[in-house]
Amino acid sequence: CVRGFLDGSVTPAQINQVGAVRQIFKKFMREFDAKLFAIMKEHFDNADLTTAAVDWLVAYCEHSSCDGPEYLMSQDQMGAFKGLREANDSSDTDRIKSACVAAKRVPNLKDHEQLAREFEKAIAGLRAQANLPPGWDLERLLGDGTSDKMYGLIPVESE
């Protein structure tokens, strides 16, 4: 399976054939899945292969009716990851802001290491470009993700 993923000989569209094989070897499949997911984690962690690994694993899990590995992002999380990655690669401040706001709407944004890392990279880039005063929390300024407004108001208390 992993060789088929790496050389492209087994595409997500072809994974539906796995379902038939799973029925034949049903009692061995839990162990097989655990080993497959452990091996695929290495490719998932490779930034250049993450998107392809996710597509492949999602197709595998859908066609084989099994739960995905814990490290696999949800569809919303993967969308946020792709948006952040593309925005960070573009170095376009407006795209990065938009990607950050969209990412903040995703439940469990910081549950996955790669997604959290890409989000932090975007925040760091914005912080550097914005020349904010020390102590300003850019992530809080971006809001909680429930509003379409770019920046939220933070209550100011006088002492």
Side-chain angles (χ1 to χ4, degrees):
C1 281
V2 174
R3 186 177 307 128
F5 161 71
L6 290 173
D7 67 16
S9 64
V10 179
T11 66
Q14 295 170 320
I15 292 176
N16 62 349
Q17 298 167 0
V18 171
V21 173
R22 288 181 68 83
Q23 291 303 317
I24 296 168
F25 298 107
K26 201 173 197 172
K27 72 180 200 177
F28 302 106
M29 293 316 300
R30 187 171 304 220
E31 183 179 337
F32 175 81
D33 290 344
K35 287 180 181 180
L36 175 65
F37 295 157
I39 293 168
M40 287 297 290
K41 172 101 170 71
E42 175 183 330
H43 304 296
F44 177 85
D45 290 339
N46 177 337
D48 295 330
L49 295 176
T50 298
T51 301
V54 167
D55 291 344
W56 200 92
L57 283 166
V58 166
Y60 176 84
C61 293
E62 285 177 0
H63 291 293
S64 60
S65 300
C66 70
D67 293 329
E70 287 184 20
Y71 61 81
L72 189 62
M73 293 180 209
S74 70
Q75 188 173 8
D76 290 339
Q77 289 169 327
M78 192 61 206
F81 177 79
K82 287 179 181 178
L84 287 165
R85 161 95 26 106
E86 290 169 5
N88 285 334
D89 289 346
S90 76
S91 299
D92 179 344
T93 304
D94 290 334
R95 279 185 74 184
I96 296 172
K97 285 179 192 175
S98 296
C100 285
V101 170
K104 290 208 43 135
R105 291 185 175 134
V106 173
N108 306 319
L109 170 66
K110 297 189 178 181
D111 281 359
H112 291 287
E113 185 180 330
Q114 284 187 312
L115 178 56
R117 193 171 38 240
E118 203 66 32
F119 181 74
E120 292 303 323
K121 180 180 175 183
I123 293 293
L126 287 176
R127 187 173 288 119
Q129 292 174 8
N131 296 318
L132 293 174
W136 279 41
D137 185 350
L138 180 59
E139 191 172 338
R140 250 181 101 192
L141 288 172
L142 288 171
D144 61 6
T146 60
S147 168
D148 288 337
K149 294 181 181 176
M150 187 63 221
Y151 292 99
L153 295 176
I154 298 175
V156 178
E157 298 176 17
S158 61
E159 293 182 23

